[in-house]
Amino acid sequence: MKYGWHLQRMFGIGLAPGLAVLEVLEGSGLPIAEQLAREVIQNSCDAAREFTPQAGSGPVRVVFRFRRLEGEERERFLDLLDLGSSSELRTRISHLGPNGLGLRAGNVLQNPNRPVSVLYIEDFGTRGLRGDPSDPDSDVHRLMFSIGSTDKDLAEKTGGSYGFGKSVLARASWLNLVLAYTLCEDGGTLVERLIGAAYLKSHEYCGEKWTGWAWFGPEAPSGAAYPCWIEGHSAHQLARALGFTPRSTEEPDTSVGTSLLLPNLVLDVTPDKLKSGVEQWWWPRLEDGELRVEIVDEDGRRFEPEPRSHPTTRFFIECYRLATGRAEPSNEYQSVKRLDQQRGCQLGTLAMQRISFEEDADERQIDTKGTIALIRSARMVVEYFKPRQRLDTSVVGVFVAHDEIDRILKLSEPPNHDRWDPNSQRLHPDEGTIVRTVLRRIKEQYRDFAETTPRRLEGNRRLEEMSKMFGRLFSVRRGIPETGRSIADPIHIRFVDGPSAVQTSDERQLTRAEVELQLDESAPLAQARARFEARAAIVEVGSKAERESIDTEIACFEQNVDGTNRVELVLSRDHAVRVHLESAQYDADWSLELSIRVEVFDAPQ
C-alpha cells in the first residue's frame, strides 16, 4: 500500500497556519544544532519516566545518525515519502512555487541534483509515542500536531512545559517535514507505528483554502480530516525502507522508544555542532550517568560527547560536584551555599569557584566567564546566567534548584526554556516572588564571593579588582598644523561638572560629565579642528592596562555635533567649547575610569 501526504482544509476559527510552528523558537539566539540537542533530548528524558518494560533500569540512550542519499537511492527515498515528481506536494509547489508553501529556497524538491541529507534521532529506554494522533492529549499529537498543548505543566521533574519542541525539528529540515517511528505499549499491547507531519504556509489551491498542516500516512476513514498512524507490519517495513533502525516487538527491553527522521537537513546541523551542543547543555545529566548520547556521522564513525574536554563546561563540572554533595570545598577558592527563603522554602544549592582563564582562551570559553549555570531536576543547563555583568569574571558556578520549586521554575521559562522569568504570566504573584528571590540571592552570593575571595595569579593571567571612580585627563603629543613640531597641543581642558555616577535603577547606573575645551593664547592658530575621544573603562588597581570599555555618548550643542566615543570639534582661542558626556548604563557594582583625549589635526575649512 502506498502512503501519502494529506493536507488540512481551512475551516472554523482559531486555526494557526502550519508554518507558525517554525516561528516559535525563531528568535532564541541559539544555533539550530544546539536547539535540537536541547529540545530532542529533553523530550526523550521526559518520556523515560514511564517506560514500562524496565522503568528506571538505566540511562536514556539517544542516537543522532547522519546519512547522505544520492542517485537512485535518493529517488527511491523521495518516492517512499510521497515526494516524487507526481506527488501532491510537488504538484502544489509547481502551481504555487516553493514560497507559496513556505519552503526555503534550495530544497531538494527544487534541485534534482542535490543529495538528500537525513538525520535520524533515535531514543531507547523511553515509553515511545502513545495514543491516537487525533487525540489532543496523546503523546504523538502533542509532539507533532499542536502548538503549546501539553500536560507537562502539571508533571514533576520534566524538562518541558510548552510542547514547542516540534519547532526546532521543523526548522532543521529544508522541507519543514518530520517523520516519527515508534514502538510503544498501548492498551496492553506493544505496537509499531509510523506517521509524518509537514508544517507549511496557509494557501489557496484549486479554489479551496488550506491551513498548511499536513500529515503522512493512510487516508482517514470516510475521508475525515485527521491524521492516522501506519501500524504493525506495514510500519515496520516502511521504517526499514526509510532507513530507520528497526524496532522489534520481540525485544521490548531494547526496542521500545521513538525515532525521528528529518529529511533535507539544514547545513547548520553537523555532527560536530550537535556534539558541542550536547556537551554544553546536557553535561549535568551526562555526569549523573542518566543519559548516554551517541553521534554517527555519514561515514559511520561513532563518537560520544565529552563534557570534561569542552571549553565552556569543564570549569562547571567541579562546581556541580560540590553543589550535589559529591565533593567538598578543597581550598579557599571554592564555596558551597544552601539558599533558603525566609518562609522556609528551600531554593537550592549554589557552588562557586574562582579559576584562571588562559590568555588564548577559546571564544566559547570566554562567553562563560562570570556565569552561573542554572540547573533544575531535568539536569539540563537552562542558562549560563551572568549575575552582575562585572569585570571580575574569574568566578564561575552552578546553582542546582531544589525539587520544591522545580515546577515554579519550569512555569517561569519561555518556550525555548533559556531563562527563569519572574514576570511570566503563568506564575502566581507569590511564585514570581520565589523566582525573583532565587535570582537575587544568586547575585548577592556571587558578589560577596567575588569580593572576598583572594585573587588567583596563575600563568600570565592577572585577575582584576575594581578601581575607584575618578576622572583622568590625557593630552596627546602631536605635531601642530603648519609647523609639524612634536610638542604638546596647547589646549585647556577643564571638568565643569562631574564625572559623577547617576543611579538609574537598583542595579544599574551611568556616568555623566561636562567638559570645557579652549585653545591656549599661545596656540599658533586662532581656530583648529580637533578629535575629541572619551572612554569609560574598568582598570586594575595599580595597573594602567585597561580591559573593558562601555560606550560614551558625546554632544556639543553649540556646534550641533554628537556621536559615540569620538567626535570632531572646532576649538578656538576666543571662547571655550562645552562638551557633554554620558556613559551607557552599567552594573552598579562596577567602578569606572573616565578618560578623554583631545587631538588637534587640522585648521578649519
Side-chain angles (χ1 to χ4, degrees):
M1 178 179 179
K2 182 174 176 61
Y3 301 101
W5 290 98
H6 309 280
L7 285 88
Q8 183 186 44
R9 289 177 172 83
M10 186 79 73
F11 64 91
I13 61 174
L15 293 175
L19 199 63
V21 168
L22 276 72
E23 299 170 355
V24 173
L25 300 182
E26 188 72 36
S28 70
L30 287 178
I32 293 181
E34 291 188 23
Q35 289 186 47
L36 201 59
R38 285 170 61 98
E39 294 293 333
V40 168
I41 294 177
Q42 180 173 271
N43 284 338
S44 295
C45 291
D46 289 348
R49 297 177 60 252
E50 298 180 24
F51 175 43
T52 302
Q54 283 187 320
S57 62
V60 174
R61 177 169 163 252
V62 181
V63 180
F64 295 90
R65 182 163 54 88
F66 290 80
R67 187 181 178 199
R68 180 184 176 92
L69 305 174
E70 299 180 88
E72 293 183 1
E73 192 176 32
R74 172 192 189 276
E75 297 308 313
R76 183 164 56 252
F77 177 82
L78 293 178
D79 283 339
L80 288 170
L81 285 181
D82 190 31
L83 297 175
S85 57
S86 60
S87 69
E88 174 72 9
L89 286 184
R90 282 284 187 96
T91 302
R92 294 199 183 206
I93 291 173
S94 298
H95 182 77
L96 301 171
N99 188 55
L101 293 181
L103 300 182
R104 283 158 283 184
N107 65 73
V108 294
L109 301 186
Q110 291 180 270
N111 187 347
N113 297 319
R114 182 174 180 175
V116 178
S117 55
V118 182
L119 175 61
Y120 302 88
I121 308 169
E122 303 166 329
D123 69 32
F124 303 89
T126 68
R127 68 176 183 240
L129 293 179
R130 301 177 305 187
D132 191 293
S134 62
D135 180 1
D137 295 328
S138 68
D139 294 338
V140 61
H141 187 91
R142 290 196 300 267
L143 175 66
M144 304 183 75
F145 299 109
S146 68
I147 299 181
S149 175
T150 177
D151 64 357
K152 289 185 182 179
D153 287 359
L154 303 177
E156 297 180 355
K157 299 186 179 181
T158 59
S161 60
Y162 281 87
F164 286 135
K166 66 184 69 60
S167 177
V168 67
L169 295 175
R171 292 182 64 221
S173 165
W174 285 86
L175 298 174
N176 307 353
L177 305 182
V178 180
L179 269 77
Y181 164 56
T182 187
L183 174 66
C184 64
E185 182 180 341
D186 212 352
T189 303
L190 285 171
V191 59
E192 288 180 82
R193 292 169 169 167
L194 190 148
I195 198 168
Y199 311 102
L200 309 173
K201 193 174 182 180
S202 58
H203 58 279
E204 188 170 344
Y205 178 69
C206 292
E208 293 189 80
K209 293 184 178 180
W210 306 81
T211 65
W213 288 86
W215 60 90
F216 177 81
E219 188 173 350
S222 304
Y226 58 82
C228 296
W229 286 110
I230 304 170
E231 295 189 289
H233 182 69
S234 297
H236 182 89
Q237 291 295 102
L238 182 56
R240 181 185 291 272
L242 288 171
F244 284 104
T245 298
R247 298 179 182 269
S248 171
T249 57
E250 304 299 322
E251 300 175 348
D253 290 353
T254 58
S255 292
V256 170
T258 300
S259 300
L260 302 174
L261 184 157
L262 308 180
N264 200 182
L265 195 64
V266 298
L267 300 178
D268 291 342
V269 179
T270 65
D272 286 343
K273 290 180 179 180
L274 264 178
K275 177 177 179 290
S276 179
V278 174
E279 291 170 343
Q280 185 164 351
W281 300 106
W282 284 104
W283 57 264
R285 199 171 185 107
L286 290 168
E287 279 292 307
D288 289 348
E290 296 178 1
L291 173 67
R292 181 184 174 192
V293 178
E294 299 174 31
I295 299 172
V296 185
D297 66 17
E298 293 177 348
D299 296 323
R301 292 177 296 216
R302 292 179 174 268
F303 47 93
E304 297 187 13
E306 300 174 348
R308 290 179 178 267
S309 64
H310 190 277
T312 65
T313 61
R314 57 193 177 97
F315 299 110
F316 295 87
I317 291 177
E318 181 62 24
C319 290
Y320 183 67
R321 290 173 53 80
L322 293 170
T324 54
R326 300 171 195 175
E328 296 291 333
S330 59
N331 54 54
E332 59 186 338
Y333 304 118
Q334 297 180 334
S335 170
V336 180
K337 299 286 185 182
R338 194 184 77 172
L339 307 187
D340 295 329
Q341 197 179 24
Q342 291 181 349
R343 287 173 289 181
C345 175
Q346 296 189 60
L347 302 179
T349 304
L350 174 64
M352 295 175 288
Q353 65 173 332
R354 188 185 286 278
I355 62 176
S356 291
F357 288 86
E358 294 77 14
E359 288 283 359
D360 57 349
D362 186 285
E363 181 180 352
R364 295 169 298 176
Q365 174 180 308
I366 296 173
D367 289 342
T368 60
K369 286 185 176 182
T371 63
I372 303 294
L374 303 183
I375 302 168
R376 55 182 184 83
S377 62
R379 292 303 189 260
M380 178 186 79
V381 176
V382 173
E383 178 188 10
Y384 288 97
F385 176 61
K386 294 183 180 293
R388 286 289 174 181
Q389 298 284 354
R390 59 190 295 157
L391 175 65
D392 187 355
T393 56
S394 61
V395 173
V396 298
V398 166
F399 175 74
V400 180
H402 195 277
D403 288 348
E404 286 185 10
I405 64 169
D406 183 76
R407 179 179 174 277
I408 294 173
L409 294 175
K410 177 173 59 176
L411 291 177
S412 77
E413 295 171 4
N416 44 328
H417 306 290
D418 63 350
R419 68 184 185 277
W420 293 335
D421 181 5
N423 299 313
S424 171
Q425 296 300 309
R426 303 194 302 164
L427 294 175
H428 184 277
D430 289 344
E431 295 174 330
T433 299
I434 291 175
V435 178
R436 195 170 290 107
T437 300
V438 168
L439 299 178
R440 176 175 56 80
R441 295 288 304 280
I442 291 173
K443 291 179 180 180
E444 293 171 349
Q445 292 294 328
Y446 178 94
R447 179 190 60 205
D448 292 345
F449 182 77
E451 290 179 350
T452 60
T453 307
R455 295 182 302 162
R456 299 183 72 167
L457 301 179
E458 297 181 10
N460 296 322
R461 190 69 168 183
R462 301 203 338 167
L463 305 179
E464 294 81 359
E465 298 174 350
M466 297 297 138
S467 68
K468 300 294 184 181
M469 177 177 291
F470 65 99
R472 188 169 51 151
L473 309 182
F474 287 96
S475 176
V476 178
R477 301 187 67 84
R478 169 87 178 193
I480 291 183
E482 301 183 347
T483 68
R485 290 180 294 124
S486 182
I487 63 174
D489 292 335
I491 303 170
H492 292 292
I493 306 172
R494 182 170 70 94
F495 275 91
V496 295
D497 186 18
S500 57
V502 179
Q503 203 80 16
T504 59
S505 69
D506 290 343
E507 298 181 352
R508 306 288 285 173
Q509 64 186 16
L510 55 83
T511 294
R512 286 183 182 146
E514 200 166 336
V515 182
E516 282 189 349
L517 309 173
Q518 187 173 1
L519 289 179
D520 187 77
E521 291 182 357
S522 63
L525 298 174
Q527 288 185 324
R529 295 173 64 192
R531 295 187 182 91
F532 179 94
E533 298 181 12
R535 185 181 184 190
I538 299 171
V539 300
E540 179 184 358
V541 173
S543 171
K544 294 182 180 180
E546 299 180 23
R547 284 210 50 235
E548 184 175 349
S549 299
I550 59 176
D551 286 337
T552 302
E553 297 300 319
I554 306 170
C556 178
F557 299 116
E558 66 179 278
Q559 296 187 16
N560 196 27
V561 170
D562 62 78
T564 303
N565 300 330
R566 175 189 291 186
V567 297
E568 292 186 4
L569 302 169
V570 176
L571 304 185
S572 171
R573 289 187 310 212
D574 297 334
H575 70 279
V577 174
R578 183 164 291 198
V579 180
H580 300 265
L581 308 174
E582 183 173 301
S583 75
Q585 293 189 46
Y586 55 92
D587 195 296
D589 285 344
W590 280 10
S591 295
L592 209 67
E593 177 184 279
L594 181 62
S595 305
I596 64 172
R597 170 186 175 124
V598 184
E599 177 182 0
V600 172
F601 68 92
D602 199 0
Q605 300 295 322

